[in-house]
Amino acid sequence: LYARSSDYERTLLSAHSLLAGLLGSAPWARLPVHTVERERDQLLRGFAACPTISRRLAAFHGSAEFRQRSHASAPLRERLRSALGLAEPVTLHNFYNTFDYLNVARRYEPAVRHLVNDDLWAEAQQLAHWLERRRYARTTVGSMGGGLLAHGGLARLQHEAALAGAAAAVTTAATATGSIAEPAHPGVRLAYYSAHYPTMVSFLAALDLGQGESSAEEP
């Protein structure tokens, strides 16, 4: 078992909490959680460290599509601001921060579930889904945001398949990403990564998965 986290308290604590649940609290069951400095974390924070992605995101935020969606969603965002009693306006640019708070609050605070009914919540989900899928679509992040993580996963699959004598099962996936080297930790059977939602959607974008924009599921 190998655990890797970004260098943030919340992701490090999430990693340690999951491992405690899996392994228990006995001293012999403790496992280190590996991390690197935020500024050097190309594996789990490539989406934040890449100048090309930053330029593409800035272009998207300045696009006619973004401005049109901002205008169309203004009534919804104002309804949410009013319902939650927020002093600052809820902009489309920072909408996911409001959605993230709302998602947690609706689960654990009954008063918020009363203030934000199911119809309003469904509209908020759809807007957040559109925003994050567009921000971290393959056309924006390509394989730069989650490519290293995807490459490592495919390398591990190829390595395990080769050990099982079934390397042909992953030939197509390996070919799609170029030459696949032996994984960094070949003896590991389970690798756990504790990171951020842009890490996850960038990983899916690198694999050209989860790129639909019509679903109302949570990002």
Side-chain angles (χ1 to χ4, degrees), residues 24-45:
S25 58
W28 59 265
R30 294 173 185 169
L31 190 78
V33 175
H34 301 268
T35 190
V36 299
E37 295 89 342
R38 300 176 189 182
E39 297 77 13
R40 296 177 52 242
D41 195 350
Q42 298 291 333
L43 181 68
L44 298 182
R45 291 189 57 80

Side-chain angles (χ1 to χ4, degrees), residues 69 99 103 107 118-131 133 212-219:
R69 195 65 176 244
F99 174 81
N103 185 36
R107 296 173 188 268
D118 290 343
D119 290 339
L120 186 56
W121 172 237
E123 290 184 62
Q125 284 181 291
Q126 290 175 344
L127 182 60
H129 178 91
W130 171 83
L131 180 63
R133 287 294 185 267
E213 297 179 9
S214 60
S215 171
E217 294 178 359
E218 298 175 27

